[in-house]
Amino acid sequence: MRAVPVPRLPGWVPGYERRWLRGDVLAGVTVTAYLIPQVMAYAEVAGVPSQTALWAVVGGLSIYVLLGSSRQLSVGPESTTSLMTATALGSLVAVGDDRVPLAAALALMVGGFCLVGWVLRLGALADLLSRPVLVGYLAGIAFTMAASQLGELIGVREQASSFFDEVREVVSHLDRAHVPTATLGLVTLAVLLVLSRLAPRAPVALIGMLGASAAVALLGLRDRGIAVVGEIPAGVPVPGLPDVAAHDLSTLIGPAVGIAFVAYTDNILTGRAFATRKGETVDAQRELLALGGSNLGAGLLGGLPVSSSGSRTAIGDAVGQRTQLGGLVTVVCTMLALLTLRPVLAAFPVAGLAAVVVYAATRLVDVRELVRFGRFRTSELVLALATTVSVLALGVLLGIAAAIGLSVLDLLRRVARPHDAVLGIVPGVAGMHDVDDYPSASVVPGLMIYRYDSPLFFANAEDFRQRALGAIDDAAAPVRWFVLNAEAVSEVDITAADALEELRQELARRGIELGIARMKEELREDLASTQFLRQVPRDRIFATLPTTVEAYQQWAGGTSDQARPEPPT
């Protein structure tokens, strides 16, 4: 195994330009204003105290500022990891009990798995999820988040743990809704949605929460049963390891792996999206290290697992953030808020936080992308919707496995049934081309040059054999030579090698000569030990298509009236 490179300080430290300072400071303050009510709401989702999420921001973002490769990514608690944390802890601790040690332990385990992935150089795993699967997965998370907050939003107590059960329980008990709570929650949600339309760059979540808190105070709504966050403990947590039983740690291993994978994928996709706009790059390998360090920092301060937030990153970008100095300003502002604004934070109504979660959930459903998938190819839209249904029906953790499985199945579907072509000569166009693409194309009588656009392996070996024979059966004139254009066949497995030999034997029974053109050296080495390649004469292996046509014409009795292909450009 190659040595893991020791990371250096981020490029923004030595190369910092003074003109970036204003944008970074403004972005740090603005992001903090949005972050505080948002992560407090995510703490409600995870079932932990609000300060747990806020200290996770301090511990996680402080480390990412030093190790991350993205200049703009905002790291901290976010919707997916918070919901997955709630799912993981729900099997160990009931709602209302102390979940903080378990949440911190889970964050440390997530960080540890990310660091193991960094050592093993597993950065490429982020590419396992296709774009439709990710969009569908986020949509499923959005519906699950919203369902988890319905009871808090309208004042209905519910104990369900799955999407459908939560919706069913709330709907069936609408008559028990607490009217003041429902009024406050729904009005706050409406204000958030309207403000996001009118002023998309404003700290909408903070404005909504301050308005809701002011309404509770001015109208005396606490006396009417409106629940608030409550007292936030003073002081700074002392870094340390949580006290968790060994059997609980073993239960958290699976969820920690799932959270690490999803959090890393989210980091890479969000970081690359914003870096591309500015001509910058994100190091996939270094992001594993940065995410691991961020979760260790969050866990040591008693926080929950962290990842990147697309909404907070977008806000920072909109107000001019250029480097992670903006993230450092966010850390300082969050600490100041925790130390000086605790009474304000404690007065936040729970229904208002639920409204923030539902508002954030609406922003995770990318309807434009779903429409784009449908216009591009129906199967892409079906894949996205199937992922959404998997998350809703199976839950978050199993939804991850289903999403990965759907991505792999989609890949297998594409390579197992690829495009194929019979090649012919097109007047005035160099080379040989798919006769289906050019109505004026013509084939050399008796010669079929066939191309199969995929590596050959167990999933498509029989498909290749049948489609090759089918092309021969459909030929307008009897085929005397069948030549496989192997330019797209980068490798084979033993199943495919056997299929090639079966094809050769069938062609021999039909009296058809078999040849190979444009075979890569790697493919030749793979086939060197097989019966197939030993049975193909050397003079039937061609480097180019023009030499293939020339050899056939000489074999058939000289040059015919058929035009010969021009040399490839």
Side-chain angles (χ1 to χ4, degrees):
M1 183 184 298
R2 292 181 294 173
V4 179
V6 178
R8 298 173 295 176
L9 285 177
W12 65 268
V13 175
Y16 194 84
E17 298 183 20
R18 186 174 181 180
R19 60 189 177 91
W20 297 342
L21 181 61
R22 181 180 180 277
D24 283 344
V25 173
L26 180 60
V29 175
T30 305
V31 168
T32 305
Y34 181 84
L35 172 150
I36 288 175
Q38 186 188 53
V39 300
M40 290 178 69
Y42 291 155
E44 288 288 328
V45 173
V48 298
S50 299
Q51 68 271 16
T52 302
L54 292 171
W55 283 117
V57 172
V58 174
L61 188 52
S62 297
I63 301 299
Y64 188 85
V65 163
L66 299 176
L67 299 180
S69 63
S70 169
R71 289 173 172 250
Q72 296 178 286
L73 208 60
S74 178
V75 169
E78 54 84 40
S79 56
T80 309
T81 53
S82 299
L83 190 59
M84 295 175 70
T85 299
T87 304
L89 302 186
S91 61
L92 299 175
V93 181
V95 177
D97 293 339
D98 186 11
R99 293 186 171 191
V100 174
L102 288 171
L106 185 60
L108 292 173
M109 294 176 71
V110 170
F113 282 123
C114 288
L115 293 181
V116 170
W118 173 66
V119 172
L120 298 178
R121 307 184 68 84
L122 299 180
L125 288 178
D127 297 331
L128 280 178
L129 295 179
S130 65
R131 180 66 181 169
V133 166
L134 287 168
V135 171
Y137 177 76
L138 288 178
I141 290 295
F143 286 115
T144 306
M145 282 175 55
S148 71
Q149 296 300 299
L150 286 178
E152 301 285 4
L153 188 67
I154 63 175
V156 173
R157 292 187 177 182
E158 51 93 5
Q159 301 296 325
S161 58
S162 66
F163 170 79
F164 295 106
D165 289 341
E166 285 172 334
V167 173
R168 185 185 304 109
E169 188 168 342
V170 171
V171 171
S172 62
H173 294 92
L174 285 178
D175 56 324
R176 302 181 187 176
H178 185 244
V179 175
T181 298
T183 302
L184 179 69
L186 295 175
V187 169
T188 303
L189 176 59
V191 169
L192 292 173
L193 294 173
V194 172
L195 281 180
S196 67
R197 289 283 186 177
L198 299 179
R201 296 187 179 185
V204 174
L206 182 64
I207 294 173
M209 283 307 305
L210 289 178
S213 301
V216 171
L218 294 175
L219 300 177
L221 296 181
R222 292 189 65 178
D223 296 334
R224 302 188 62 181
I226 296 289
V228 297
V229 170
E231 182 180 358
I232 295 179
V236 178
V238 178
L241 298 175
D243 184 12
V244 178
H247 68 274
D248 289 339
L249 291 177
S250 62
T251 304
L252 293 176
I253 291 176
V257 173
I259 293 174
F261 180 79
V262 173
Y264 173 65
T265 303
D266 195 22
N267 266 34
I268 288 296
L269 290 175
T270 306
R272 284 176 177 173
F274 285 91
T276 301
R277 300 177 183 179
K278 301 184 182 302
E280 300 166 353
T281 59
V282 171
D283 186 337
Q285 190 62 23
R286 182 159 179 153
E287 284 301 298
L288 269 174
L289 172 66
L291 184 62
S294 297
N295 276 281
L296 291 180
L300 290 174
L301 289 185
L304 66 159
V306 298
S307 179
S308 64
S309 168
S311 59
R312 298 198 296 267
T313 304
I315 289 172
D317 179 70
V319 297
Q321 180 174 344
R322 293 298 303 273
T323 73
Q324 280 297 341
L325 179 62
L328 195 57
V329 172
T330 297
V331 171
V332 174
C333 290
T334 303
M335 291 186 65
L336 290 175
L338 274 164
L339 297 175
T340 63
L341 299 179
R342 289 183 295 105
V344 177
L345 302 180
F348 280 1
V350 173
L353 293 176
V356 172
V357 173
V358 176
Y359 161 72
T362 63
R363 301 172 70 87
L364 292 179
V365 181
D366 198 335
V367 177
R368 291 184 178 179
E369 278 293 89
L370 293 173
V371 172
R372 186 171 71 92
F373 296 157
R375 290 175 177 173
F376 178 74
R377 186 180 293 128
T378 303
S379 62
E380 302 282 0
L381 176 61
V382 171
L383 182 61
L385 296 178
T387 303
T388 301
V389 173
S390 297
V391 173
L392 297 179
L394 303 177
V396 178
L397 295 178
L398 290 179
I400 297 171
I404 296 174
L406 288 171
S407 291
V408 173
L409 288 175
D410 185 52
L411 173 63
L412 287 175
R413 179 185 63 83
R414 294 177 187 277
V415 297
R417 298 297 181 268
H419 175 267
D420 68 340
V422 173
L423 304 183
I425 301 167
V426 181
V429 181
M432 301 188 74
H433 305 275
D434 186 347
V435 296
D436 291 335
D437 293 340
Y438 293 89
S440 60
S442 60
V443 298
V444 178
L447 171 65
M448 174 172 288
I449 299 180
Y450 178 78
R451 190 183 70 211
Y452 193 76
D453 295 335
S454 170
L456 292 177
F457 66 117
F458 66 92
N460 63 15
E462 181 61 20
D463 176 72
F464 159 75
R465 189 184 71 85
Q466 292 185 1
R467 288 166 72 178
L469 293 174
I472 294 173
D473 294 336
D474 295 338
V479 175
R480 304 176 69 188
W481 272 28
F482 177 90
V483 177
L484 173 62
N485 177 5
E487 61 180 318
V489 183
S490 55
E491 59 180 273
V492 297
D493 63 6
I494 190 63
T495 306
D498 292 343
L500 285 169
E501 173 59 16
E502 292 173 8
L503 174 64
R504 186 198 66 78
Q505 294 176 6
E506 176 62 25
L507 295 179
R509 282 194 291 271
R510 300 186 184 191
I512 299 174
E513 296 276 345
L514 172 67
I516 307 175
R518 305 192 66 178
M519 180 168 56
K520 297 178 176 63
E521 186 59 31
E522 292 83 358
L523 180 61
R524 186 191 300 270
E525 293 174 357
D526 289 341
L527 293 174
S529 62
T530 66
Q531 179 74 11
F532 167 75
L533 196 59
R534 287 197 293 266
Q535 296 296 324
V536 179
R538 288 191 176 184
D539 61 355
R540 295 293 185 268
I541 300 176
F542 307 100
T544 66
L545 298 183
T547 56
T548 303
V549 175
E550 183 177 2
Y552 171 74
Q553 291 172 335
Q554 292 177 353
W555 176 87
T559 305
S560 67
D561 294 334
Q562 173 70 36
R564 295 174 61 184
E566 301 176 26
T569 58

